[in-house]
Amino acid sequence: MSKHNFPPLKNDLFLRALKGESVERPPVWMMRQAGRYLPQYMKLREKYTFFERVETPELACEITIQPIDELEPDAAIIFSDILTVPQALNIDVQMIPGKGPVMGNPIRKVDDAFSIFAEDIPGKLSHVMDAITLTRHELNGRVPLIGFAGAPWTLFCYMVQGEGSKNFDLAKSFLYQHPEASRHVLKELTKATIDYLNAQIEAGAQAVQVFDSWAGLLSPDDFNEWALPSLMEITANVKGVPMILFAKGAWYALERLSYKSGVAALGLDWTISPEYARTHTADHVTLQGNFDPSHLLAPIPEIKLKTKRMIDRFGTQRYIANLGHGILPHVPVDHARAFVDTVKGYS
Ligand code: CP3
């Protein structure tokens, strides 16, 4: 738990839902709620590069709170990126506007892989911890603050491929051709993630989410071999606050994850029906999701209808309303507000 002295929490709906306690209505937040659909974010984007925004605690704090002021969801998520961990492992990451992340020195040879070592990750990413502590103070207890990290498999995809990809063919090819070298990278990433999340919790994160955005690229057997062991080690060794695991596309693993991973909640993408998710997960797990992000482009009355229908189907308990993936950049702010307000008005 945190060593800091923070203002008392005024809205604990999100934490109660994570713990499985009873709630008056489901809490709501949106993945990527700080981002390009907000005009106030775009203004800062003109002045500072992506990693300047991430690495300056005052900017990260301001950006984290922008959606809280604008939309008043029930949780904040620290503005940062999953690719901070590869950076701390000496992978050079540039964020190219319109293209996304590009690595200057991706892992392409066995020697590259064996040169990866997780050493003092919290020290190398101290700006993230500073941003979390500052944001806890600035939020003044309005809503809880979520910390996060990428899952080892997803980080491996970027570190080997060197950029975003539809199928991460270079990463998978490396995995199958060099299993021992791949296992080494995944082991170091797992250690890095555990240290990083525990440091975020100590800095003030009140819940943490692990993003395995590319879990769905793996077959169920490959998921068992290459993704699940890291996830199990992370859930067993990150302590003190509830954890949410978002393994996008891994519908086939829901049952295993809910019974064996020990997480408080599972994030769901929009390809999974609420009924399927409830049937295939343990009773004690909270579910989070899973509004199709592109449905926020529908007319507002339809957004309201679809949001209500989603809650009807998940139920109001052990449930956190969210999108099934990050909000899209061209969503009108009013449409995002309609989503949040519909959840808050649900009865
Ligand atoms: O959710 C939030 O508001 C917190 C901030 C957050 C960002 N990235 C900020 C960001 C979080 C939680 C992430 C996680 C992240 N980053 C993931 C996992 C979630 C997911 O979407 O699957 C991944 C895969 C990344 C890597 C990443 N970062 C990519 C592929 C891109 C480019 C694509 C894009 O959306 O532009 C980013 C950039 C990024 N990270 C932006 C933001 C707000 C956009 C940068 C900009 O142009 O300003």
Side-chain angles (χ1 to χ4, degrees), residues 32-34 36 41 45 50 53 80-82 148 213 325:
R32 292 283 184 95
Q33 64 189 12
R36 283 166 295 179
Y41 177 84
R45 200 169 176 261
F50 181 73
R53 280 173 271 144
S80 184
D81 202 87
I82 62 167
F148 71 88
S213 302
H325 199 195

Side-chain angles (χ1 to χ4, degrees), residues 29-36 41-42 45 50 53-54 63 67 77-83 95-101 148 150 154 158 164 211-214 246 248 325-327 329:
W29 68 283
M30 294 183 297
M31 289 192 274
R32 292 283 184 95
Q33 64 189 12
R36 283 166 295 179
Y41 177 84
M42 293 309 277
R45 200 169 176 261
F50 181 73
R53 280 173 271 144
V54 166
I63 295 170
I77 180 163
I78 192 66
F79 179 77
S80 184
D81 202 87
I82 62 167
L83 299 173
M95 196 61 74
I96 313 288
K99 173 162 169 63
F148 71 88
T154 289
Y158 284 104
F211 289 89
D212 212 347
S213 302
W214 298 112
F246 175 61
K248 185 170 180 287
H325 199 195
I327 189 167

Side-chain angles (χ1 to χ4, degrees), residues 24-76:
E24 309 79 71
R25 62 157 175 92
V28 57
W29 68 283
M30 294 183 297
M31 289 192 274
R32 292 283 184 95
Q33 64 189 12
R36 283 166 295 179
Y37 73 104
L38 285 177
Q40 50 275 57
Y41 177 84
M42 293 309 277
K43 248 177 132 171
L44 286 176
R45 200 169 176 261
E46 283 164 17
K47 280 210 255 170
Y48 307 98
T49 68
F50 181 73
F51 284 110
E52 278 169 355
R53 280 173 271 144
V54 166
E55 288 162 16
T56 312
E58 290 73 20
L59 290 176
C61 170
E62 182 179 344
I63 295 170
T64 301
I65 296 177
Q66 282 175 350
I68 308 303
D69 288 339
E70 185 67 46
L71 303 172
E72 302 189 303
D74 298 301

Side-chain angles (χ1 to χ4, degrees), residues 175-189:
L175 185 71
Y176 302 136
Q177 290 187 38
H178 309 295
E180 285 320 307
S182 298
R183 234 179 278 285
H184 169 80
V185 175
L186 288 165
K187 196 181 104 227
E188 294 302 312
L189 282 168

Side-chain angles (χ1 to χ4, degrees), residues 293-336:
S294 71
H295 281 165
L296 287 185
L297 298 167
I300 285 179
E302 238 171 89
I303 294 174
K304 291 183 177 168
L305 224 80
K306 285 188 155 81
T307 306
K308 274 199 206 103
R309 176 108 181 87
M310 174 177 75
I311 305 171
D312 290 342
R313 294 173 68 186
F314 275 108
T316 56
Q317 305 301 307
R318 291 187 186 282
Y319 175 57
I320 297 165
N322 202 319
L323 308 178
H325 199 195
I327 189 167
L328 299 167
H330 43 296
V331 167
V333 176
D334 279 355
H335 290 215

Side-chain angles (χ1 to χ4, degrees), residues 216-235:
L217 290 179
L218 295 168
S219 70
D221 285 349
D222 278 351
F223 181 83
N224 280 348
E225 183 168 358
W226 298 106
L228 191 61
S230 308
L231 294 173
M232 299 289 282
E233 213 177 316
I234 291 165
T235 57

